[in-house]
Amino acid sequence: MVAKMPASQWISASLLVLLLSLHPGVRAFYLPGTFMHTYTPGEEISAKVNSLTSIETEVPFSYYSLPYCKPPEGVKKSAENLGEILMGDQIDNSPYRFHVNVNESVYLCTTDPLTKEQAELLKKRARNLYQVNMILDNLPVMRFTEQNGMMIQWTGFPVGYNPTGSNEDYIINHLKFRVLVHPYQAQGDVVVTSEDGVAMVESDRKSGFQIVGFEVVPCSVRRDVEAMSKLKMYDKVDSVNCPLELEKSQQIRENERITFTYQVEYVKSNIRWPSRWDAYLKMDGAKVHWFSIMNSMMVVFFLAGIVFVIFLRTVRRDLTRYEEMDKEAQAQMNEELSGWKLVVGDVFREPCCSKLLCVMVADGIQILGMAVVTIVFAALGFLSPASRGMLLTGMIILYLFLGIIAGYVGVRIWRTIKGTSEGWKSVAWLTSCFFPGIVFIILTVLNFILWGKKSTGALPISLFFTLLALWFCISVPLTLIGGLLGTRAASIDYPVRTNQIPREIPERKFPSWLLVLGAGTLPFGTLFIELFFILSSIWLGRFYYVFGFLFIVLFLMVIVCGEVSLVLTYMHLCVEDWKWWWKAFFASGSVALYVFLYSVNYLVFDLRSLSGPVAATLYLGYSLIMALAIMLSTGAIGFLLSFYFVHYLFSSVKID
């Protein structure tokens, strides 16, 4: 019998998880990602295989694009969600079968003689460092290698290898699996968590074994092909040790027949099922994350001090002194205005490309909302790494439905600038098409490249139409509805009138855009450390799960973006520069420039294994999308805060 936990208990548990996620001693704060499955001794389990991946090319390929053994029932694809397809995952069944708690050594198959094309392809995949990604009970296979006296943990195992000083390539054809199991004895009701993060109570659980670890030692072993070819699939063979001599390893050559075998060893473990992902999610850099947060807080306090001085010592002092004067003194002061008071008749003059500004701010709010909600849900454990693709799927769904907020914000700003609702439909349409359209164009170009390589990362035509349907059937209508609501909301009136003739802006020694671009270094300083971990998780195949830290960094970055834009807007007004609209946007949005430059730096100095124009094009294309999203979201924060600051500033003083 299965029953859901009460809502109050679930909310309390979620809040507890969020608090624990911020503690440095916590190794993993994900809720378990799948139903706890207990296996009886001897029960058969089949492993699955995902796409072949490489940190050198970043172009995934199907497992069965290489001459591997196929399951007797044929290759069958597993159901995949939207996020898995977009990430290039292709999960298939495999011939690797395990019997719970039964140690065995098994023969799979012997291939036909390799053709020239097959041999060349195997060599190419081996030299490009392609990894086989295998899954058992939803756990990725893990291997350990020793480098410089340290044990390095990897997911997957290589297709083959090319020894130093040798011109020959060798294939991995024998796998020594080590399955960690935890004996389980049923004891009444058990609380588990489903893949969607819903807590469940099961009272009919059986006793047996739970799989809590999946490790592999890959080997290359030359077998007696004539003797092995007489065996049938799943016949027992003698276990072997990984040979150290190259003469006993299996070379990749034309007309060579390759025998595939594997052996399984079960080891009892004290690891409990809810903690089985801890091995994958070890956080060795907790101090680095805390350093990143402390660094960000120092920037926040520094800028907060500047804002405090502006508000309480300068602006507030001027306003208080002005309010204490009589009318005659106020009139005399109006004739002797200086600084920001001189641009009173131009400060709310319509900026150039005002429609584009409205669209970019609206899209930025939509992206920011998507990021905040996604990170909060991930920090609470709803988007577990066991639920592959759910993070990306959730982001897309959130973005679609947040279109209503984007439409509202864009049209509301448009009405404020224009003073009328005329033209709001075009603003809403552009809002729904601007950012998704740019992303769609970039992805289409990258997709043609992946199609040319016959990669599983290439999106099928059917998915293109699915994404277009989601875009135009959900996002666009919701954005138009949000725009309609924006036309009916109360208008924001300017506190001062705008002069008919624009005031001339005094010349300066250095262009103001230099200061705007330089301002982006402060928000970048709050996130560049966390950015390194994010890029490593994307391009080096590592798990990123410290969403508690990421939420704090995002929160601090929002504060810094607002403070930077506010300070720069005030500085521009003080030098009689009333063209503050776009500068307020790019003062914080310019952080995207440094993010993109850092991505290029990461490509050159940290992704040295990445090779070839195709891999570099894919990397730069995805980095460009990331930088664009950051520019829109951070720019929107800076613009909106600056707008309300200017509105408050000039509504506090009466100047004709």
Side-chain angles (χ1 to χ4, degrees):
M1 181 178 179
V2 179
K4 290 190 176 182
M5 292 177 65
S8 59
Q9 294 182 18
W10 173 239
I11 294 173
S12 301
S14 300
L15 292 175
L16 178 62
V17 170
L18 178 61
L19 292 174
L20 290 176
S21 70
L22 304 179
H23 192 279
V26 177
R27 285 290 181 183
F29 54 86
Y30 267 107
L31 302 178
T34 56
F35 283 114
M36 187 188 303
H37 195 107
T38 305
Y39 298 95
T40 57
E43 184 176 349
E44 184 177 278
I45 320 171
S46 294
K48 295 182 179 181
V49 286
N50 205 339
S51 300
L52 304 174
T53 56
S54 168
I55 61 173
E56 184 164 310
T57 67
E58 298 297 343
V59 180
F61 290 99
S62 169
Y63 174 81
Y64 292 107
S65 63
L66 297 180
Y68 285 127
C69 304
K70 296 183 179 180
E73 68 273 14
V75 178
K76 298 178 182 178
K77 299 183 185 301
S78 299
E80 297 171 339
N81 58 44
L82 180 61
E84 287 179 302
I85 298 174
L86 289 173
M87 291 190 300
D89 289 349
Q90 181 178 311
I91 301 177
D92 303 315
N93 60 336
S94 80
Y96 292 91
R97 295 179 180 175
F98 303 81
H99 295 88
V100 176
N101 211 33
V102 177
N103 297 339
E104 54 188 347
S105 184
V106 181
Y107 165 80
L108 273 184
C109 74
T110 300
T111 66
D112 295 330
L114 295 178
T115 64
K116 181 180 179 180
E117 291 76 15
Q118 288 176 327
E120 291 298 326
L121 185 61
L122 275 172
K123 290 181 179 181
K124 184 178 180 180
R125 296 288 183 264
R127 294 188 178 187
N128 286 338
L129 306 181
Y130 270 88
Q131 302 279 318
V132 177
N133 300 292
M134 195 171 290
I135 305 166
L136 180 68
D137 194 39
N138 209 39
L139 280 180
V141 70
M142 183 193 304
R143 67 184 173 94
F144 298 91
T145 58
E146 186 175 349
Q147 294 182 4
N148 300 324
M150 297 179 60
M151 293 300 295
I152 307 298
Q153 174 184 308
W154 304 86
T155 54
F157 57 89
V159 169
Y161 60 94
N162 175 246
T164 304
S166 173
N167 294 325
E168 297 293 335
D169 297 277
Y170 298 85
I171 188 173
I172 299 298
N173 64 333
H174 180 73
L175 301 173
K176 300 177 67 173
F177 292 108
R178 186 168 177 262
V179 182
L180 305 182
V181 292
H182 180 75
Y184 176 79
Q185 184 68 35
Q187 297 177 351
D189 294 347
V190 178
V191 179
V192 297
T193 311
S194 65
E195 291 187 356
D196 56 3
V198 178
M200 314 291 285
V201 179
E202 293 192 3
S203 56
D204 55 354
R205 183 167 300 283
K206 60 186 177 182
S207 300
F209 294 95
Q210 296 166 350
I211 296 177
V212 295
F214 186 34
E215 301 172 2
V216 67
V217 177
C219 308
S220 180
V221 181
R222 175 178 288 278
R223 298 276 193 172
D224 184 349
V225 175
E226 295 299 327
M228 287 292 175
S229 58
K230 296 177 182 179
L231 299 176
K232 295 181 180 180
M233 184 176 283
Y234 303 122
D235 281 352
K236 300 296 185 291
V237 295
D238 294 333
S239 60
V240 296
N241 294 320
C242 296
L244 300 177
E245 302 86 358
L246 293 179
E247 294 78 13
K248 297 181 180 180
S249 301
Q250 179 62 59
Q251 293 183 1
I252 303 174
R253 289 185 299 195
E254 185 180 354
N255 296 322
E256 189 83 10
R257 299 182 69 187
I258 300 174
T259 296
F260 289 92
T261 56
Y262 69 96
Q263 61 191 72
V264 187
E265 177 190 7
Y266 285 86
V267 179
K268 292 184 179 180
S269 172
N270 293 325
I271 300 173
R272 295 185 176 274
W273 190 89
S275 304
R276 65 180 191 160
W277 274 91
D278 290 7
Y280 301 87
L281 305 177
K282 286 182 179 179
M283 187 177 64
D284 297 325
K287 292 182 179 179
V288 178
H289 291 283
W290 283 115
F291 172 77
S292 172
I293 292 173
M294 295 304 297
N295 173 67
S296 303
M297 292 184 67
M298 290 181 65
V299 176
V300 168
F301 290 138
F302 171 72
L303 291 174
I306 298 177
V307 174
F308 178 81
V309 171
I310 290 175
F311 267 112
L312 297 187
R313 295 198 58 186
T314 306
V315 177
R316 200 63 192 166
R317 182 187 60 195
D318 289 352
L319 295 177
T320 303
R321 186 177 62 181
Y322 185 85
E323 291 169 356
E324 291 175 352
M325 294 181 179
D326 54 25
K327 293 184 178 180
E328 183 177 346
Q330 288 181 6
Q332 183 179 358
M333 183 180 176
N334 290 342
E335 297 177 358
E336 301 173 355
L337 292 177
S338 62
W340 57 269
K341 308 177 195 70
L342 288 172
V343 296
V344 64
D346 299 275
V347 69
F348 291 110
R349 189 177 300 280
E350 180 181 345
C352 64
C353 305
S354 56
K355 183 176 291 187
L356 179 61
L357 178 63
C358 297
V359 169
M360 292 176 71
V361 171
D363 277 342
I365 292 299
Q366 187 176 5
I367 296 168
L368 180 65
M370 173 197 70
V372 171
V373 176
T374 301
I375 293 173
V376 168
F377 272 76
L380 291 174
F382 289 98
L383 302 175
S384 160
S387 304
R388 293 173 184 83
M390 285 305 297
L391 183 67
L392 188 55
T393 303
M395 291 174 65
I396 293 173
I397 293 174
L398 281 170
Y399 183 84
L400 292 174
F401 284 95
L402 287 173
I404 190 169
I405 297 178
Y408 177 85
V409 171
V411 172
R412 190 88 187 273
I413 298 173
W414 174 256
R415 282 186 62 202
T416 302
I417 293 175
K418 289 291 186 179
T420 176
S421 298
E422 186 178 353
W424 72 270
K425 292 182 181 178
S426 63
V427 173
W429 269 104
L430 285 173
T431 299
S432 63
C433 297
F434 180 74
F435 178 70
I438 295 175
V439 172
F440 192 80
I441 291 172
I442 296 175
L443 289 181
T444 302
V445 173
L446 298 180
N447 211 52
F448 275 115
I449 296 175
L450 293 172
W451 269 336
K453 292 289 183 177
K454 298 181 180 179
S455 167
T456 59
L459 305 182
I461 293 294
S462 58
L463 184 60
F464 260 91
F465 285 108
T466 301
L467 292 174
L468 286 173
L470 291 173
W471 182 5
F472 286 101
C473 295
I474 298 178
S475 182
V476 172
L478 286 176
T479 307
L480 291 172
I481 292 173
L484 180 62
L485 295 175
T487 61
R488 298 180 178 180
S491 61
I492 302 175
D493 298 323
Y494 293 146
V496 293
R497 293 194 302 268
T498 301
N499 297 334
Q500 292 184 353
I501 302 175
R503 179 186 180 84
E504 183 178 355
I505 300 175
E507 292 186 5
R508 273 177 290 179
K509 190 174 183 180
F510 300 102
S512 59
W513 285 103
L514 287 178
L515 185 60
V516 170
L517 291 176
T521 57
L522 292 172
F524 177 72
T526 66
L527 62 85
F528 79 96
I529 296 178
E530 208 63 39
L531 186 61
F532 171 81
F533 289 98
I534 294 173
L535 291 176
S536 298
S537 68
I538 294 174
W539 300 106
L540 296 179
R542 299 172 184 171
F543 288 103
Y544 184 88
Y545 77 105
V546 285
F547 291 101
F549 285 114
L550 184 59
F551 179 78
I552 297 175
V553 171
L554 177 65
F555 177 73
L556 294 175
M557 189 189 70
V558 168
I559 296 175
V560 172
C561 287
E563 292 175 339
V564 164
S565 290
L566 189 149
V567 171
L568 259 71
T569 299
Y570 180 75
M571 290 174 63
H572 283 110
L573 294 179
C574 285
V575 295
E576 304 174 33
D577 186 353
W578 48 267
K579 294 182 178 180
W580 59 271
W581 303 76
W582 281 106
K583 291 168 186 175
F585 182 91
F586 284 111
S588 54
S590 60
V591 65
L593 173 64
Y594 299 97
V595 169
F596 186 76
L597 292 177
Y598 182 83
S599 300
V600 175
N601 173 81
Y602 186 84
L603 170 65
V604 174
F605 295 103
D606 294 286
L607 281 181
R608 295 177 183 176
S609 60
L610 202 67
S611 62
V614 172
T617 302
L618 292 172
Y619 177 87
L620 293 176
Y622 292 128
S623 298
L624 186 61
I625 293 175
M626 178 180 66
L628 177 63
I630 291 175
M631 182 194 72
L632 293 175
S633 55
T634 54
I637 297 167
F639 171 80
L640 290 177
L641 188 62
S642 294
F643 177 82
Y644 283 107
F645 165 69
V646 173
H647 190 279
Y648 167 79
L649 182 62
F650 286 90
S651 63
S652 301
V653 61
K654 299 176 182 178
I655 304 176
D656 296 326

